[in-house]
Amino acid sequence: MKAVLDHVGIAVKDLPAALAFYRDALGLEVEAPEDVVSQRVRAHFIPVGASNLELLEATAPDSAIAKYIEKRGPGLHHITLRVDDVHAAVAQLHARGVRMIDETPRPGAEGSTIAFVHPSATHGVLVELKQAAPATSHQPPATVPDTRVKRFSVGELELISVCDGFIRFDGGAMFGSVPKVFWSKRHPTDDRNRVLLAMRSLIVRGARTMIIDAGLGDKEDAKFHEIYGVDRSRNLDHTLAEAGVRVEDVDIVLASHLHFDHAGGFTVRDASGRVRPRFPRAQYIVRRGEWEDATHPHARNRASYLRDNYVPLADAGVLQLVDDDRMIMPGVRVRRTGGHTMHHQMVLIESGGKTAAFVADLMPFTSHVPDAWIMGYDLYPMDTLAAKQQFVKEAIEKQTLVFFEHDPAIAAGYIREENGKRIVVAGG
Ligand SMILES: [Zn+2]
Ligand SMILES: [Zn+2]
């Protein structure tokens, strides 16, 4: 069989002291810790070339790692060899009379499948065999942007994910108090420390045709495009056409909030230079509090609100303000999350016993699913936390298909909990 060294596990008694060596003295990057609840262990991975070191810290006195340290002291604990097919590997070892700890492979961390070989068969080294999770079921690096039109059905409703291209925002602002060392692997920065955001809208077709948010649109100038690294080479015009939806087909335009990366596409500038609604037959639905804030910006939020994106809607008489959480069309309702802005709202979709949600800037990337990953842009981060905790719990229970407006690689997915860790499995 073909096997490559995946990682070397090191049992650690005093984590700060271990970090003082591996991180500070050697200068290696330590990734965010992962709790493996079933093993009562916390793992800290340290990439070294194609392999990793894994510092293992017991989280309870009855943890296998705690017992190991008690008996043999801290130090080398196991090595892990990655194989293509762990079942075939175990069968091969069986056939040669090798004693196993795990007679049949079992689930490991991050969707992997593992089996331990007994140290009596390996000359004193605990050897783990590991088959990595299939690439499709876990989060790929966000460096593979995806603008494909994707169709989903939720009961009677058809959902179509469309995209207005990409924009780049400061990485630090996207992740708030989360250190760059934790996010920069999945979200590589450019030479200006910016990370890539998609601008995804959602078409909902049911009793009526609705679009939720509409990206940046095309009213901004070259300077703006330069500052925000805008790439609209494939934009909402292209993806709507591909989805078979014309601007005249849209009955309702629903706003999560009025920031320019969500509301810019609500209006267009015509040949005479006048700004008018882009969807000629539509009513535009905006939360009243958000409207008030957008039309009375202050020093902290002024850069996000551009009047031409929404004031012309009121002038054209197509604006409808809603005051509370309510049904917008059968199967589609809004819920205020607050947090990002005081009146930011998400959209909940329910039909035929199935649920979906368009969460907008509550969780712009799949990376924002963990509680503490909250944007620096958010005006009320503790409200984001509360809304997110409530929603994520519901989404796991109801197996909600969640649409991530800004994730460059994953338009929609299901949130699952595995080994105490939340992951997003791409949908569709
Ligand atoms: Zn926003
Ligand atoms: Zn946004």
Side-chain angles (χ1 to χ4, degrees), residues 256-262 304 340-341 344 361 375 377 406:
S256 64
H257 63 308
L258 293 173
H259 285 168
F260 61 70
D261 52 321
H262 300 251
S304 305
H340 181 60
T341 69
H344 176 275
D361 279 346
M375 285 195 285
Y377 291 116
H406 289 314

Side-chain angles (χ1 to χ4, degrees), residues 26-98:
L26 287 181
L28 300 174
E29 271 193 15
V30 183
E31 291 185 349
E34 264 174 46
D35 275 22
V36 186
V37 176
S38 59
Q39 304 290 316
R40 293 174 296 283
V41 67
R42 187 168 299 135
H44 305 257
F45 279 96
I46 304 173
V48 281
S51 308
N52 285 278
L53 303 178
E54 181 190 30
L55 304 184
L56 296 161
E57 187 193 1
T59 55
D62 61 342
S63 153
I65 287 293
K67 287 181 185 156
Y68 179 92
I69 291 172
E70 207 173 285
K71 222 161 104 188
R72 311 175 66 161
L76 195 61
H77 179 262
H78 70 270
I79 67 164
T80 297
L81 299 175
R82 195 165 60 243
V83 296
D84 291 336
D85 183 342
V86 72
H87 289 269
V90 169
Q92 182 177 331
L93 295 179
H94 257 299
R96 292 177 182 249
V98 173

